[in-house]
Coordinates of all heavy atoms in Angstrom, one line a residue:
M879 N 0.8 -1.2 0.0 CA 0.0 0.0 0.0 C 0.9 1.3 0.0 O 0.4 2.3 -0.3 CB -0.9 0.0 1.2 CG -2.1 -1.0 1.2 SD -3.3 -0.7 0.0 CE -4.5 0.2 0.9
F880 N 2.1 1.1 0.3 CA 3.0 2.3 0.4 C 3.0 3.0 -0.9 O 3.0 4.3 -1.0 CB 4.4 2.0 0.9 CG 5.3 3.2 1.1 CD1 5.0 4.0 2.1 CD2 6.3 3.4 0.2 CE1 5.8 5.2 2.3 CE2 7.1 4.5 0.4 CZ 6.9 5.4 1.4
Q881 N 3.1 2.3 -2.0 CA 3.1 2.9 -3.4 C 1.9 3.7 -3.6 O 2.0 4.8 -4.1 CB 3.2 1.8 -4.5 CG 4.5 1.1 -4.6 CD 4.4 0.1 -5.7 OE1 3.5 -0.7 -5.6 NE2 5.4 0.1 -6.6
I882 N 0.8 3.2 -3.2 CA -0.5 3.9 -3.3 C -0.5 5.2 -2.5 O -0.9 6.3 -3.0 CB -1.7 3.0 -2.9 CG1 -1.7 1.8 -3.8 CG2 -3.0 3.8 -3.0 CD1 -2.5 0.7 -3.3
Q883 N 0.0 5.2 -1.3 CA 0.1 6.4 -0.5 C 0.9 7.5 -1.1 O 0.7 8.6 -0.9 CB 0.6 6.0 0.9 CG -0.3 5.2 1.7 CD 0.3 4.7 3.0 OE1 1.5 4.4 3.0 NE2 -0.5 4.5 4.0
Q884 N 1.9 7.1 -1.9 CA 2.8 8.0 -2.6 C 2.2 8.5 -3.9 O 2.9 9.2 -4.6 CB 4.2 7.4 -2.8 CG 4.9 7.0 -1.5 CD 5.1 8.2 -0.6 OE1 5.6 9.2 -1.1 NE2 4.9 8.1 0.7
G885 N 1.0 8.0 -4.3 CA 0.4 8.4 -5.5 C 0.8 7.6 -6.7 O 0.5 7.9 -7.8
L886 N 1.5 6.5 -6.4 CA 1.9 5.6 -7.5 C 1.0 4.4 -7.7 O 0.2 4.1 -6.8 CB 3.3 5.0 -7.2 CG 4.4 6.0 -7.0 CD1 5.7 5.4 -6.4 CD2 4.7 6.8 -8.2
E887 N 1.0 3.8 -8.8 CA 0.1 2.7 -9.1 C 0.8 1.4 -8.6 O 2.0 1.2 -8.8 CB -0.1 2.5 -10.6 CG -0.9 3.6 -11.2 CD -2.4 3.7 -10.8 OE1 -2.9 2.6 -10.3 OE2 -3.0 4.7 -10.9
P888 N 0.1 0.5 -7.9 CA 0.6 -0.8 -7.5 C 0.9 -1.6 -8.7 O 0.3 -1.4 -9.8 CB -0.4 -1.4 -6.6 CG -1.7 -0.7 -6.9 CD -1.3 0.7 -7.4
S889 N 1.7 -2.6 -8.6 CA 2.0 -3.4 -9.8 C 0.9 -4.4 -10.2 O 0.8 -4.8 -11.3 CB 3.3 -4.2 -9.5 OG 3.2 -5.0 -8.4
D890 N 0.1 -4.8 -9.2 CA -1.0 -5.8 -9.6 C -2.3 -5.3 -9.0 O -2.6 -5.6 -7.8 CB -0.6 -7.2 -9.0 CG -1.4 -8.3 -9.6 OD1 -2.3 -8.0 -10.5 OD2 -1.2 -9.4 -9.2
W891 N -3.1 -4.7 -9.8 CA -4.4 -4.2 -9.4 C -5.3 -4.1 -10.6 O -4.9 -4.3 -11.7 CB -4.3 -2.8 -8.8 CG -4.0 -1.7 -9.8 CD1 -2.8 -1.3 -10.2 CD2 -5.0 -0.9 -10.5 NE1 -2.9 -0.3 -11.2 CE2 -4.3 0.0 -11.3 CE3 -6.4 -0.8 -10.4 CZ2 -4.9 0.9 -12.1 CZ3 -7.0 0.2 -11.2 CH2 -6.3 1.0 -12.1
K892 N -6.7 -4.0 -10.3 CA -7.6 -3.8 -11.3 C -8.8 -3.0 -10.7 O -9.1 -3.1 -9.5 CB -8.1 -5.1 -11.9 CG -9.0 -5.9 -11.0 CD -9.5 -7.2 -11.7 CE -10.6 -7.8 -10.8 NZ -11.3 -8.8 -11.5
P893 N -9.6 -2.3 -11.6 CA -10.8 -1.6 -11.1 C -11.9 -2.6 -10.8 O -11.9 -3.7 -11.4 CB -11.1 -0.7 -12.3 CG -10.5 -1.3 -13.5 CD -9.3 -2.1 -13.0
V894 N -12.7 -2.3 -9.8 CA -13.8 -3.2 -9.5 C -15.1 -2.3 -9.6 O -15.7 -1.8 -8.7 CB -13.7 -3.7 -8.0 CG1 -14.8 -4.7 -7.7 CG2 -12.3 -4.3 -7.8
T895 N -15.5 -2.2 -10.9 CA -16.7 -1.3 -11.2 C -18.0 -1.9 -10.7 O -18.9 -1.2 -10.5 CB -16.8 -1.1 -12.7 OG1 -16.8 -2.4 -13.4 CG2 -15.6 -0.3 -13.2
T896 N -18.0 -3.2 -10.4 CA -19.2 -3.8 -9.8 C -19.5 -3.3 -8.4 O -20.6 -3.4 -8.0 CB -19.1 -5.4 -9.8 OG1 -18.0 -5.7 -9.1 CG2 -19.0 -6.0 -11.2
V897 N -18.5 -2.8 -7.8 CA -18.7 -2.3 -6.4 C -19.0 -0.8 -6.5 O -20.0 -0.3 -5.9 CB -17.5 -2.5 -5.5 CG1 -17.6 -1.8 -4.2 CG2 -17.3 -4.0 -5.3
G898 N -18.2 0.0 -7.3 CA -18.5 1.4 -7.4 C -17.3 2.1 -8.1 O -16.2 1.5 -8.2
A899 N -17.6 3.3 -8.5 CA -16.6 4.1 -9.2 C -15.4 4.4 -8.2 O -15.6 4.7 -7.1 CB -17.2 5.4 -9.7
G900 N -14.2 4.2 -8.7 CA -13.0 4.5 -7.9 C -12.6 3.4 -7.0 O -11.5 3.5 -6.4
V901 N -13.3 2.3 -7.0 CA -12.9 1.1 -6.2 C -11.9 0.3 -7.0 O -12.1 0.0 -8.1 CB -14.1 0.3 -5.7 CG1 -13.7 -0.9 -4.9 CG2 -15.1 1.1 -4.9
R902 N -10.8 -0.1 -6.3 CA -9.8 -0.9 -6.9 C -9.5 -2.2 -6.1 O -9.7 -2.2 -4.9 CB -8.5 -0.1 -7.1 CG -8.6 1.1 -8.0 CD -7.4 1.8 -8.0 NE -7.5 2.9 -9.0 CZ -6.5 3.7 -9.3 NH1 -5.3 3.5 -8.8 NH2 -6.6 4.6 -10.2
E903 N -9.0 -3.2 -6.8 CA -8.6 -4.4 -6.1 C -7.1 -4.6 -6.2 O -6.6 -4.6 -7.3 CB -9.3 -5.6 -6.8 CG -8.9 -6.9 -6.2 CD -9.5 -8.1 -7.0 OE1 -9.0 -8.4 -8.1 OE2 -10.5 -8.7 -6.5
L904 N -6.5 -4.6 -5.1 CA -5.1 -4.9 -5.0 C -4.9 -6.4 -4.8 O -5.5 -7.0 -3.9 CB -4.4 -4.1 -3.8 CG -3.0 -4.3 -3.5 CD1 -2.1 -3.8 -4.7 CD2 -2.6 -3.6 -2.3
R905 N -4.1 -7.0 -5.6 CA -3.8 -8.4 -5.6 C -2.5 -8.7 -4.8 O -1.5 -8.1 -5.2 CB -3.8 -9.0 -7.0 CG -5.0 -8.8 -7.7 CD -4.8 -9.1 -9.2 NE -6.0 -8.8 -9.9 CZ -6.1 -9.0 -11.2 NH1 -5.1 -9.4 -11.9 NH2 -7.2 -8.7 -11.8
V906 N -2.6 -9.5 -3.8 CA -1.4 -9.8 -3.0 C -1.2 -11.3 -3.0 O -2.1 -12.1 -2.8 CB -1.6 -9.4 -1.5 CG1 -0.4 -9.7 -0.7 CG2 -2.0 -7.9 -1.4
H907 N 0.0 -11.7 -3.4 CA 0.3 -13.1 -3.5 C 1.4 -13.5 -2.5 O 2.6 -13.3 -2.8 CB 0.7 -13.5 -4.9 CG -0.3 -13.1 -5.9 ND1 -1.4 -14.0 -6.2 CD2 -0.4 -12.1 -6.8 CE1 -2.1 -13.4 -7.1 NE2 -1.6 -12.3 -7.5
V908 N 1.0 -13.9 -1.3 CA 2.0 -14.3 -0.3 C 1.4 -15.5 0.4 O 0.4 -15.4 1.1 CB 2.2 -13.2 0.8 CG1 3.2 -13.6 1.8 CG2 2.7 -11.9 0.1
K909 N 2.0 -16.7 0.2 CA 1.5 -17.9 0.8 C 0.0 -18.0 0.5 O -0.8 -18.3 1.4 CB 1.8 -18.0 2.3 CG 3.2 -18.1 2.5 CD 3.5 -18.3 4.0 CE 5.0 -18.4 4.2 NZ 5.3 -18.7 5.6
G910 N -0.5 -17.8 -0.7 CA -1.9 -17.8 -1.1 C -2.2 -16.6 -1.8 O -1.3 -15.8 -2.1
A911 N -3.4 -16.4 -2.1 CA -3.9 -15.2 -2.8 C -4.8 -14.4 -1.9 O -5.8 -14.9 -1.4 CB -4.6 -15.6 -4.1
F912 N -4.5 -13.1 -1.8 CA -5.3 -12.2 -1.0 C -5.7 -11.0 -1.8 O -5.1 -10.6 -2.8 CB -4.6 -11.8 0.3 CG -4.2 -12.9 1.1 CD1 -3.0 -13.6 0.9 CD2 -5.0 -13.3 2.2 CE1 -2.7 -14.7 1.7 CE2 -4.7 -14.4 3.0 CZ -3.5 -15.1 2.7
R913 N -6.9 -10.4 -1.4 CA -7.3 -9.2 -2.1 C -7.7 -8.1 -1.1 O -8.2 -8.4 0.0 CB -8.6 -9.5 -2.9 CG -8.4 -10.6 -4.0 CD -7.5 -10.1 -5.1 NE -7.4 -11.0 -6.2 CZ -6.5 -12.0 -6.3 NH1 -5.5 -12.1 -5.4 NH2 -6.5 -12.7 -7.4
V914 N -7.3 -6.9 -1.5 CA -7.7 -5.7 -0.7 C -8.5 -4.8 -1.6 O -8.0 -4.4 -2.6 CB -6.4 -5.0 -0.2 CG1 -6.8 -3.7 0.6 CG2 -5.5 -5.9 0.6
L915 N -9.7 -4.5 -1.2 CA -10.5 -3.6 -2.0 C -10.5 -2.3 -1.3 O -10.8 -2.2 -0.1 CB -12.0 -4.2 -2.1 CG -12.1 -5.5 -2.8 CD1 -13.5 -6.0 -2.8 CD2 -11.6 -5.5 -4.2
Y916 N -10.1 -1.3 -2.1 CA -9.9 0.1 -1.5 C -10.4 1.1 -2.5 O -10.7 0.8 -3.7 CB -8.5 0.3 -1.2 CG -7.6 0.3 -2.4 CD1 -7.2 1.5 -3.0 CD2 -7.1 -0.9 -3.0 CE1 -6.3 1.5 -4.1 CE2 -6.2 -0.9 -4.1 CZ -5.9 0.4 -4.6 OH -5.1 0.4 -5.7
V917 N -10.6 2.3 -2.0 CA -11.0 3.4 -2.8 C -10.0 4.6 -2.7 O -9.6 4.9 -1.6 CB -12.5 3.8 -2.5 CG1 -12.6 4.4 -1.1 CG2 -13.0 4.8 -3.5
V918 N -9.7 5.2 -3.8 CA -8.7 6.3 -3.8 C -9.3 7.6 -4.3 O -8.6 8.6 -4.5 CB -7.4 6.0 -4.6 CG1 -6.6 4.9 -3.9 CG2 -7.7 5.6 -6.0
K919 N -10.6 7.7 -4.5 CA -11.2 8.8 -5.2 C -11.4 10.0 -4.2 O -11.8 11.1 -4.6 CB -12.5 8.5 -5.9 CG -13.6 8.1 -4.9 CD -14.8 7.8 -5.7 CE -16.0 7.4 -4.8 NZ -17.2 7.1 -5.6
F920 N -11.1 9.9 -2.9 CA -11.2 10.9 -2.0 C -9.9 11.6 -1.7 O -8.9 10.9 -1.4 CB -11.9 10.4 -0.7 CG -13.2 9.7 -1.0 CD1 -13.4 8.4 -0.6 CD2 -14.2 10.4 -1.6 CE1 -14.6 7.8 -0.8 CE2 -15.5 9.8 -1.8 CZ -15.6 8.4 -1.4
A921 N -9.9 12.9 -1.7 CA -8.6 13.7 -1.5 C -8.0 13.5 -0.2 O -6.8 13.5 0.0 CB -8.9 15.2 -1.8
E922 N -8.8 13.2 0.9 CA -8.2 13.1 2.2 C -7.5 11.8 2.5 O -6.8 11.7 3.5 CB -9.3 13.4 3.3 CG -10.3 12.3 3.4 CD -11.5 12.4 2.5 OE1 -11.5 13.2 1.6 OE2 -12.5 11.7 2.7
G923 N -7.7 10.8 1.7 CA -7.0 9.6 2.0 C -7.5 8.4 1.2 O -8.4 8.5 0.4
I924 N -6.8 7.3 1.5 CA -7.2 6.0 0.9 C -8.0 5.2 1.9 O -7.6 5.1 3.1 CB -5.9 5.2 0.6 CG1 -5.0 6.0 -0.4 CG2 -6.2 3.8 0.1 CD1 -3.6 5.5 -0.5
Y925 N -9.1 4.7 1.5 CA -9.9 3.9 2.4 C -9.9 2.5 2.0 O -10.3 2.1 0.9 CB -11.4 4.4 2.4 CG -11.6 5.8 3.0 CD1 -11.4 6.9 2.2 CD2 -11.8 6.0 4.3 CE1 -11.6 8.2 2.7 CE2 -12.0 7.2 4.9 CZ -11.9 8.3 4.1 OH -12.0 9.6 4.6
V926 N -9.5 1.6 2.9 CA -9.6 0.2 2.7 C -11.0 -0.3 3.1 O -11.4 -0.1 4.2 CB -8.5 -0.6 3.5 CG1 -8.7 -2.1 3.4 CG2 -7.1 -0.2 3.1
L927 N -11.7 -0.8 2.1 CA -13.1 -1.2 2.3 C -13.2 -2.7 2.8 O -14.1 -3.0 3.6 CB -13.9 -1.0 1.1 CG -13.9 0.4 0.5 CD1 -14.6 0.5 -0.9 CD2 -14.6 1.3 1.5
H928 N -12.4 -3.6 2.3 CA -12.5 -5.0 2.6 C -11.2 -5.7 2.2 O -10.6 -5.3 1.2 CB -13.7 -5.6 1.9 CG -14.1 -6.9 2.3 ND1 -14.2 -7.4 3.6 CD2 -14.4 -8.0 1.5 CE1 -14.6 -8.6 3.6 NE2 -14.7 -9.0 2.4
A929 N -10.8 -6.7 3.0 CA -9.7 -7.5 2.6 C -10.1 -9.0 2.9 O -10.8 -9.3 3.9 CB -8.5 -7.1 3.4
F930 N -9.6 -9.9 2.0 CA -10.0 -11.3 2.2 C -9.1 -12.2 1.4 O -8.3 -11.7 0.6 CB -11.4 -11.5 1.7 CG -11.7 -11.1 0.3 CD1 -11.6 -12.0 -0.8 CD2 -12.0 -9.8 0.0 CE1 -11.8 -11.6 -2.1 CE2 -12.3 -9.3 -1.3 CZ -12.1 -10.2 -2.3
E931 N -9.1 -13.5 1.8 CA -8.3 -14.5 1.1 C -9.1 -14.9 -0.1 O -10.3 -15.3 0.0 CB -8.0 -15.6 2.0 CG -7.1 -16.7 1.3 CD -6.6 -17.8 2.2 OE1 -7.1 -17.8 3.4 OE2 -5.8 -18.6 1.8
K932 N -8.5 -15.0 -1.3 CA -9.1 -15.4 -2.5 C -8.9 -16.9 -2.6 O -7.8 -17.4 -2.8 CB -8.5 -14.6 -3.7 CG -9.1 -14.9 -5.0 CD -10.3 -14.0 -5.2 CE -10.9 -14.2 -6.5 NZ -11.2 -13.1 -7.3
R933 N -10.0 -17.7 -2.6 CA -9.8 -19.1 -2.7 C -10.3 -19.7 -4.0 O -10.1 -20.9 -4.3 CB -10.6 -19.8 -1.5 CG -9.9 -19.4 -0.2 CD -10.6 -20.0 0.9 NE -9.9 -19.6 2.2 CZ -10.2 -20.0 3.3 NH1 -11.2 -20.9 3.5 NH2 -9.6 -19.6 4.4
T934 N -11.1 -18.9 -4.8 CA -11.6 -19.4 -6.0 C -11.3 -18.3 -7.1 O -10.9 -17.2 -6.8 CB -13.1 -19.7 -6.0 OG1 -13.8 -18.4 -5.7 CG2 -13.5 -20.7 -4.9
Q935 N -11.6 -18.7 -8.3 CA -11.4 -17.8 -9.5 C -12.3 -16.5 -9.4 O -11.9 -15.4 -9.7 CB -11.7 -18.5 -10.8 CG -11.0 -18.0 -12.0 CD -9.5 -18.0 -12.0 OE1 -8.8 -18.5 -11.1 NE2 -9.0 -17.3 -12.9
R936 N -13.5 -16.8 -8.9 CA -14.6 -15.7 -8.8 C -14.7 -15.2 -7.4 O -14.6 -15.9 -6.4 CB -15.9 -16.4 -9.2 CG -17.0 -15.5 -9.4 CD -18.1 -16.3 -10.1 NE -19.5 -15.8 -9.8 CZ -20.0 -14.8 -10.4 NH1 -19.4 -14.1 -11.3 NH2 -21.3 -14.4 -10.1
T937 N -14.8 -13.9 -7.3 CA -15.0 -13.2 -6.0 C -16.4 -13.6 -5.5 O -17.4 -13.5 -6.2 CB -14.8 -11.7 -6.1 OG1 -13.5 -11.4 -6.6 CG2 -15.0 -11.1 -4.7
R938 N -16.4 -14.0 -4.2 CA -17.7 -14.4 -3.6 C -18.7 -13.2 -3.5 O -18.3 -12.1 -3.2 CB -17.5 -14.9 -2.2 CG -16.7 -16.2 -2.1 CD -16.5 -16.7 -0.7 NE -16.0 -15.6 0.1 CZ -15.8 -15.7 1.4 NH1 -16.1 -16.8 2.0 NH2 -15.3 -14.7 2.1
P939 N -19.9 -13.5 -3.8 CA -20.9 -12.4 -3.7 C -21.0 -11.7 -2.4 O -21.2 -10.5 -2.3 CB -22.3 -13.1 -4.0 CG -21.9 -14.3 -4.8 CD -20.5 -14.7 -4.3
T940 N -20.7 -12.5 -1.3 CA -20.7 -11.9 0.0 C -19.6 -10.8 0.2 O -19.8 -9.8 0.8 CB -20.6 -12.9 1.1 OG1 -19.5 -13.7 0.9 CG2 -21.8 -13.8 1.2
D941 N -18.4 -11.1 -0.4 CA -17.4 -10.1 -0.4 C -17.7 -8.8 -1.1 O -17.4 -7.7 -0.7 CB -16.1 -10.7 -0.9 CG -15.5 -11.8 0.0 OD1 -15.4 -11.5 1.2 OD2 -15.1 -12.8 -0.5
I942 N -18.4 -9.0 -2.3 CA -18.8 -7.8 -3.0 C -19.9 -7.1 -2.2 O -19.8 -5.8 -2.2 CB -19.4 -8.3 -4.4 CG1 -18.3 -8.9 -5.3 CG2 -20.1 -7.1 -5.1 CD1 -17.2 -8.0 -5.7
A943 N -20.8 -7.8 -1.6 CA -21.9 -7.1 -0.8 C -21.3 -6.3 0.3 O -21.7 -5.2 0.6 CB -22.9 -8.1 -0.4
V944 N -20.3 -6.9 1.1 CA -19.7 -6.2 2.2 C -19.0 -5.0 1.7 O -19.1 -3.9 2.3 CB -18.7 -7.2 2.9 CG1 -17.8 -6.4 3.8 CG2 -19.4 -8.3 3.6
T945 N -18.3 -5.1 0.6 CA -17.6 -3.9 0.1 C -18.5 -2.8 -0.4 O -18.3 -1.6 -0.1 CB -16.7 -4.3 -1.1 OG1 -15.9 -5.4 -0.6 CG2 -15.8 -3.2 -1.5
R946 N -19.6 -3.2 -1.0 CA -20.6 -2.2 -1.5 C -21.2 -1.4 -0.3 O -21.4 -0.2 -0.3 CB -21.7 -2.8 -2.2 CG -21.4 -3.1 -3.7 CD -22.7 -3.6 -4.4 NE -22.3 -4.0 -5.7 CZ -22.8 -5.0 -6.4 NH1 -23.7 -5.8 -5.8 NH2 -22.4 -5.3 -7.6
K947 N -21.6 -2.2 0.8 CA -22.1 -1.6 2.0 C -21.2 -0.6 2.6 O -21.5 0.5 3.0 CB -22.6 -2.7 3.0 CG -23.2 -2.0 4.2 CD -23.6 -3.1 5.2 CE -24.2 -2.5 6.5 NZ -23.8 -1.2 6.9
R948 N -19.9 -1.0 2.7 CA -18.9 -0.2 3.4 C -18.7 1.1 2.5 O -18.5 2.2 3.1 CB -17.6 -0.9 3.6 CG -17.8 -2.0 4.7 CD -16.6 -2.8 4.9 NE -16.8 -3.8 6.0 CZ -15.9 -4.7 6.2 NH1 -14.8 -4.9 5.5 NH2 -16.2 -5.6 7.2
L949 N -18.7 1.0 1.2 CA -18.6 2.2 0.4 C -19.8 3.1 0.6 O -19.6 4.3 0.7 CB -18.5 1.8 -1.1 CG -18.3 2.9 -2.1 CD1 -17.1 3.8 -1.8 CD2 -18.3 2.4 -3.5
R950 N -21.0 2.6 0.6 CA -22.2 3.4 0.8 C -22.1 4.1 2.2 O -22.4 5.3 2.3 CB -23.4 2.6 0.8 CG -23.9 2.3 -0.6 CD -25.4 1.7 -0.6 NE -25.6 0.7 0.4 CZ -25.4 -0.6 0.1 NH1 -25.0 -1.0 -1.1 NH2 -25.6 -1.5 1.0
D951 N -21.7 3.4 3.2 CA -21.5 3.9 4.6 C -20.5 5.0 4.6 O -20.7 6.1 5.2 CB -21.2 2.8 5.6 CG -22.3 1.8 5.8 OD1 -23.4 2.1 5.4 OD2 -22.0 0.8 6.4
L952 N -19.4 4.8 3.9 CA -18.3 5.8 3.8 C -18.8 7.1 3.1 O -18.6 8.2 3.6 CB -17.1 5.3 3.1 CG -16.0 6.2 2.7 CD1 -15.4 6.8 4.0 CD2 -14.9 5.5 1.9
E953 N -19.5 6.9 2.0 CA -20.0 8.1 1.3 C -21.0 8.8 2.1 O -21.0 10.1 2.1 CB -20.6 7.6 -0.1 CG -19.5 7.2 -1.0 CD -20.0 6.5 -2.3 OE1 -21.2 6.0 -2.3 OE2 -19.3 6.5 -3.3
R954 N -21.9 8.1 2.8 CA -22.9 8.8 3.7 C -22.2 9.5 4.8 O -22.6 10.7 5.1 CB -23.8 7.7 4.2 CG -25.1 8.2 4.8 CD -26.1 7.1 5.2 NE -26.4 6.3 4.0 CZ -26.3 5.0 4.0 NH1 -25.9 4.3 5.0 NH2 -26.7 4.3 2.9
A955 N -21.2 9.0 5.4 CA -20.5 9.6 6.5 C -19.8 10.9 6.0 O -19.7 11.9 6.7 CB -19.5 8.6 7.1
R956 N -19.2 10.8 4.8 CA -18.5 12.0 4.3 C -19.5 13.1 4.0 O -19.2 14.3 4.2 CB -17.8 11.6 3.0 CG -16.6 10.7 3.2 CD -15.8 10.4 2.0 NE -15.0 11.5 1.6 CZ -15.2 12.3 0.6 NH1 -16.2 12.1 -0.2 NH2 -14.4 13.3 0.3
I957 N -20.7 12.8 3.6 CA -21.7 13.8 3.3 C -22.1 14.5 4.6 O -22.3 15.7 4.7 CB -22.9 13.2 2.6 CG1 -22.6 12.9 1.1 CG2 -24.1 14.2 2.6 CD1 -23.6 12.0 0.4
M958 N -22.3 13.7 5.6 CA -22.7 14.2 6.9 C -21.7 15.1 7.6 O -22.0 16.0 8.3 CB -23.1 13.0 7.9 CG -24.3 12.2 7.4 SD -24.6 10.9 8.5 CE -25.6 11.7 9.7
R959 N -20.4 14.9 7.3 CA -19.3 15.7 7.8 C -19.3 17.1 7.2 O -18.7 18.0 7.7 CB -18.0 15.1 7.6 CG -17.7 14.0 8.7 CD -16.3 13.5 8.6 NE -16.4 12.4 7.7 CZ -15.3 11.8 7.1 NH1 -14.2 12.3 7.2 NH2 -15.5 10.8 6.3
Q960 N -19.8 17.2 6.0 CA -19.7 18.5 5.2 C -20.6 19.6 5.8 O -21.5 19.5 6.4 CB -20.1 18.3 3.8 CG -19.1 17.5 3.1 CD -19.5 17.2 1.6 OE1 -20.6 17.6 1.2 NE2 -18.7 16.6 0.9

């Protein structure tokens, strides 16, 4: 994540448009496959929405649902702070 904090692109990522605009999936391969779903579209920082171990080719619907809910909650909280 350090590269991302510095404004650089990580070496292994992809957009996750099924969750929402600006959401990206960082792929981590260390003793298995892990995913970190995060959003970088907000000027004040990077928000990690969900992290999980990837065990199949397809991302589980529950992982997508958790990430969508957290993104909605984040967006709602940001509106309330304004």
Side-chain angles (χ1 to χ4, degrees):
M879 290 288 267
F880 184 71
Q881 287 177 311
I882 299 165
Q883 292 171 327
Q884 299 298 315
L886 303 172
E887 295 291 340
S889 59
D890 195 2
W891 71 275
K892 72 174 190 169
V894 186
T895 55
T896 56
V897 172
V901 177
R902 296 179 176 187
E903 175 185 79
L904 177 63
R905 300 169 183 176
V906 180
H907 302 279
V908 178
K909 294 185 181 181
F912 299 86
R913 300 295 186 262
V914 178
L915 299 178
Y916 64 98
V917 64
V918 293
K919 68 180 180 178
F920 304 122
E922 71 272 11
I924 298 163
Y925 291 90
V926 174
L927 301 172
H928 190 46
F930 56 93
E931 184 174 4
K932 185 87 179 229
R933 296 183 180 181
T934 64
Q935 204 59 13
R936 188 165 151 84
T937 302
R938 294 180 308 175
T940 54
D941 289 316
I942 296 295
V944 165
T945 307
R946 279 186 185 142
K947 182 184 180 324
R948 289 178 180 169
L949 179 60
R950 278 193 313 271
D951 292 347
L952 171 62
E953 290 170 336
R954 195 171 301 126
R956 291 182 78 252
I957 289 170
M958 294 178 84
R959 279 188 270 163
Q960 292 178 356

